[in-house]
Amino acid sequence: MKLSKLAKIVSGLNRKRHPQGTVYYLQARDFVQDDMLDKNLKPTILDYPKLESHYLTKGDVLVLAKGHHGFNAFFYHEEKSPAVASSIFLVLRHVSKKVLPNI
């Protein structure tokens, strides 16, 4: 079965950090463990009108598309919001209950 039949797959964004950012920009280095974001994480990118369509929503799954061996996947629970994934991630949206029965 193709992954596209189990979830919608979108890529993360490549944005520049900004000291007055209002949106969390999740990168691999922001994770203490696969399932835990750094508690001291601060918003680091500026919002703009089209960014909202890239906001992570509860139930999205972040999977590394490249690098950082050992990272499994991260189930987003809106711990930090609004948030977007960096380009190192693929974001799985509307994941089938066949894959994640607890949603």
Side-chain angles (χ1 to χ4, degrees):
M1 179 177 288
K2 291 185 176 187
L3 185 57
S4 61
K5 297 243 184 226
L6 299 174
K8 178 181 177 185
I9 306 166
V10 296
S11 62
L13 303 172
N14 188 8
R15 303 297 305 166
K16 290 188 179 188
R17 291 182 178 245
H18 192 281
Q20 281 93 32
T22 57
V23 177
Y24 293 91
Y25 184 55
L26 304 185
Q27 297 182 298
R29 67 181 175 193
D30 297 328
F31 290 84
V32 179
Q33 298 172 346
D34 287 356
D35 62 344
M36 187 183 313
L37 283 168
D38 183 346
K39 292 179 183 177
N40 298 316
L41 186 63
K42 304 282 186 235
T44 54
I45 62 171
L46 295 173
D47 203 357
Y48 62 95
K50 293 183 180 181
L51 186 63
E52 188 172 325
S53 67
H54 297 279
Y55 283 178
L56 297 173
T57 58
K58 188 174 182 176
D60 285 351
V61 177
L62 278 60
V63 179
L64 275 178
K66 52 191 169 193
H68 201 287
H69 300 287
F71 186 95
N72 294 314
F74 177 73
F75 186 84
Y76 183 69
H77 293 283
E78 295 183 315
E79 299 88 331
K80 304 286 185 175
S81 183
V84 296
S86 68
S87 61
I88 196 167
F89 291 106
L90 291 176
V91 180
L92 307 180
R93 295 201 160 136
H94 313 293
V95 180
S96 169
K97 291 186 180 195
K98 293 177 185 178
V99 178
L100 295 173
N102 60 337
I103 58 171

